[in-house]
Amino acid sequence: MAQDQDNFRDSIGTINEEGKRAWIYPKKPSGKFYEYRKYVSYVLLAFLFLAPFVKVNGNQFLMFNVLERRFNIFGFPFWPQDFHLFVISMIIGVIFIALFTVAFGRIFCGWMCPQTIFMEMVFRRIEFWIDGDRGAQIRLSKQPWNAEKIRKRALKLIVFFIISFLIANVFLAYLIGSDRLIEYITDGPLQHISTLVSLLIFTGVFYFVFAWFREQVCIIACPYGRMQGVLLDNKSIVVAYDHKRGEGENGRKKFRKGEDRTALGHGDCIDCFQCVNVCPTGIDIRNGTQLECVNCTACIDECDTIMEKVNLPKGLIRYASEDNIEKKSKFKFTPRLKGYTAVLVILTGILIGMLFLRNEVEANILRLPGQLYEHKEGNIISNVYTYKLVNKTTKDIPDISFKLISHKGTINLVRHELFTVPAQGLAEGTLFVEINNSALEGDKNKLNIGVYSGEKLIETATARFLAPRSYK
């Protein structure tokens, strides 16, 4: 691959030679892939904004309430007791992204990542609308502060802030739940000052990211760009420049009408730099795969447009693997991909099985710390326990009672015999278990206690029962 310099890997496109921020003014993209990306982005944006407000069986479709350790994924509620299920779900997500990275490079970054979608399909398009295309933005940046510049900068600041505020509200709906967010809004911001402060902080963060930090999130902050160096191989399909076709024997050359480039030994690349100008991270894709490349396909569309204008075949920049360019080999389902797929299928099967086997009620019955046992009349041994029942459903569970399954005996609640566990809530209390010593074996016995709603057994719990050592 012909290159003028090899020092492009020693720095990133957003930093100049002096070590300062080099602001990128990408050209407005257009073309087939850009249109496809717009459709995908519209669907994902609709999903992102609607997911907190859609409910399945009374559960918010997606919720990540870190403070209360309550999570909803696709309508399935996960409580602290279900943390292992949540962890498996996250591992499945990571392996899924890794699988697609090995096969198709950073396709997630260019097509599905919220950072890219908001930056390129929302904020950048608003910027094109207010400031104009690449050339107009560069001129506006260099011109002195006059009425036009102040008007455009103020308008962009206000629009960006409003959108950041809307994103912050949706983000908060994911964290605390949409019902609580709507309640806070109807109550008025002054009734929930701490929430308002958090909302403004989130707004400031989003404004900072999309108005100033921008592509540096992908280049500097996000670890995924570094991960691709480990995950990619020469069989991975990425946005690639066909250097064999583009360089030829004597390298690139500017286009001249009527010139026989093949006879002169020059490749199809006319060195127009449009692929560089349209890149949102400021790289030259002709230098090969780089960590800054998010596979957004803007360079593919731009190069195809140029090739069409100069009557050369499209596809000089395209989705291709290194092997495809060097050896013309087709995509193969490699053993590495098969391994990732096998792990993904196994973990998904385990998760589905666990979800089907998961009880709607979680019961924990523990002996009261520091208490041994009480020896009552008639050779009755009594132990005291605390219980905690978690209702994972969206409906109240009434008429809760406890019965011994493993031994003959009685269970007495401290406060009342029957009670209700509220929807998505918990019930706590104290109970006594009394068993005749003749039914006990040794000083430590394992009890099975049934939790009933009316006459229906809804959960079982185990507990240790202490008795005098002499009764064996």
Side-chain angles (χ1 to χ4, degrees), residues 269-290:
C269 179
I270 64 172
D271 212 19
C272 62
F273 279 93
Q274 293 307 304
C275 60
V276 180
N277 293 337
V278 80
C279 180
T281 58
I283 66 168
D284 189 341
I285 192 64
R286 297 173 297 177
N287 288 330
T289 301
Q290 299 155 65

Side-chain angles (χ1 to χ4, degrees), residues 36 41 81 96 114 140 181 201 217 250 282 307 320 323 332 337 346 356 384 392 407 423 427 463:
Y36 292 157
S41 298
Q81 295 84 356
F96 183 79
L140 183 66
L181 175 66
I201 292 173
V217 172
N250 297 323
M307 291 294 103
D323 281 0
K332 294 181 180 179
L337 291 175
I346 292 171
F356 276 108
V384 61
K392 302 175 184 177
H407 295 74

Side-chain angles (χ1 to χ4, degrees), residues 23 119 123 127 160 206-214:
W23 199 267
M119 186 68 251
F123 288 88
E127 194 166 58
F160 278 13
F206 287 124
Y207 181 84
F208 168 76
V209 167
F210 295 115
W212 190 84
F213 205 52
R214 299 190 157 204

